[in-house]
Amino acid sequence: MPMRIGPYQVFDFLGQGGMGAVYLTRSRGGRSLAVKVIRADLAVNRDFRRRFAREVTAARKVSGAYTAPVVDADTECAEPWLATMFVPGRSLWETVRTDGVLDGERVRELGAGLAEALIDIHAAGIIHRDLKPHNVLMGADGPRVIDFGIAHVADLPPMTDPGALLGTPHFMSPEQIKGNRLTFASDVFSFGLVLAYAAIGGSPFGPGSNAQLLLRILHEEPDLTALPDDLRRLVAACLARRPEQRPSPSELLDALAAVTAPDERTARPGPLPRVPTVWVPEAGPGGADFARNAHAVLDDGLTDALVIEAARHDG
């Protein structure tokens, strides 16, 4: 008997992650959808269900050319699920691993699409909190930002424990690592790391374990020397350690649009009003939060995409 999820018949299995399995299905009108079914052991957790229901409601408000919006969901059934528009194409992570880094013009096009996606996401009052190459699909008509699994509604209190680590270490902002209150600027820091990954094939904070990357993001400067001049300036502004010093997605879009020449030697970057300065570590209880976060990363801090990636590329 064919498997069904709510009103949908399953046509293919797409992947398995830490929160559940993802399947390919179609709407009654024939539109391809990706349906994520939450694991049974998470489904019986009341706190998880409340958070899942709240974030599905929030994610339904997001629409735009560069997102894959939620189109249907059932958060009350025995195995909660949500359906999003299916975007054929590889993730940015897979694209770079398979084909190599993107050239300057393609990185700028990627950046413009991601900036527009963040404008739409933030306009809905949502902080994505897990923007990374795994969650960027390279569609034929431009990139799509997906997976609002740990997104947070900016005007509502968090439903996770204070200081708990949620996100992917390689692409987290300093305030996210320390367990501080997040703003939309946290996504901008991740945006800068995603663009750097697309251009250089790794983190500007270097290789290493999750714990090593967390420490470098907090205390060291990124190496952006391999980036073209205009992208170096833009990414450096995004990676300012103080959130208030980072440009907004709208300012990023304006800066990318102002680059009129595709040749790195003649490209002219647009204005970025915020300039990163030297950051001095703040005193206070953040150190205890960081130690707890680092421990969580080493124990079981992998997100859905990293669990899949570890299974595919073990060793």
Side-chain angles (χ1 to χ4, degrees):
M1 181 177 178
M3 178 180 175
R4 297 189 68 86
I5 301 172
Y8 304 108
Q9 179 178 335
V10 169
F11 291 96
D12 198 4
F13 172 74
L14 297 178
Q16 179 78 37
M19 291 176 62
V22 184
Y23 301 91
L24 177 67
T25 184
R26 294 190 182 94
S27 68
R28 292 176 62 188
R31 181 167 58 174
S32 294
L33 304 176
V35 181
K36 185 173 190 175
V37 182
I38 301 304
R39 281 179 10 212
D41 60 319
L42 293 175
V44 298
N45 184 305
R46 292 182 180 180
D47 289 339
F48 179 88
R49 272 186 176 267
R50 285 199 300 270
R51 177 182 149 213
F52 179 68
R54 184 178 73 169
E55 291 172 356
V56 165
T57 299
R60 276 178 152 167
K61 299 177 183 178
V62 178
S63 61
Y66 297 104
T67 61
V70 173
V71 298
D72 199 1
D74 188 344
T75 62
E76 302 298 328
C77 63
E79 293 183 300
W81 55 268
L82 76 159
T84 65
M85 183 186 303
F86 175 70
V87 180
R90 297 177 298 182
S91 70
L92 175 60
W93 176 267
E94 293 169 322
T95 298
V96 170
R97 288 179 69 97
T98 302
D99 301 335
V101 298
L102 309 186
D103 61 33
E105 185 174 1
R106 289 186 68 197
V107 174
R108 294 183 197 98
E109 292 172 353
L110 171 69
L114 295 184
E116 190 168 327
L118 286 182
I119 290 172
D120 293 330
I121 292 167
H122 294 171
I126 295 173
I127 304 168
H128 191 285
R129 296 205 297 181
D130 201 20
L131 183 64
K132 59 187 178 183
H134 308 72
N135 287 340
V136 176
L137 296 181
M138 304 297 282
D141 56 349
R144 299 293 184 98
V145 175
I146 63 168
D147 200 345
F148 294 84
I150 64 168
H152 173 59
V153 185
D155 58 356
L156 292 175
M159 297 186 72
T160 51
D161 295 333
L165 186 75
L166 284 175
T168 304
H170 289 62
F171 300 95
M172 290 173 66
S173 67
E175 61 269 27
Q176 194 172 7
I177 293 171
K178 297 197 301 184
N180 292 347
R181 177 181 176 273
L182 300 186
T183 65
F184 297 134
S186 180
D187 285 342
V188 172
F189 192 95
S190 300
F191 169 98
L193 290 174
V194 169
L195 283 199
Y197 173 82
I200 66 178
S203 171
F205 291 98
S209 68
N210 288 331
Q212 288 172 324
L213 263 294
L214 292 173
L215 283 168
R216 290 184 195 141
I217 291 172
L218 284 175
H219 302 298
E220 297 182 12
E221 295 302 320
D223 180 3
L224 304 176
T225 55
L227 294 173
D229 289 345
D230 60 303
L231 288 175
R232 186 184 310 127
R233 183 169 178 265
L234 183 143
V235 171
C238 293
L239 299 185
R241 285 200 174 91
R242 292 188 180 278
E244 65 274 12
Q245 293 174 340
R246 300 170 200 152
S248 69
S250 181
E251 290 167 338
L252 291 170
L253 190 58
D254 289 343
L256 288 160
V259 180
T260 57
D263 190 329
E264 278 77 25
R265 294 172 298 177
T266 57
R268 292 181 287 106
L272 286 171
R274 297 173 178 82
V275 179
T277 59
V278 176
W279 176 75
V280 179
E282 300 175 357
D289 283 340
F290 170 72
R292 180 166 60 254
N293 287 344
H295 181 72
V297 169
L298 294 174
D299 279 353
D300 57 0
L302 295 179
T303 62
D304 284 9
L306 284 183
V307 170
I308 295 173
E309 195 63 34
R312 290 178 178 171
H313 305 286
D314 186 23

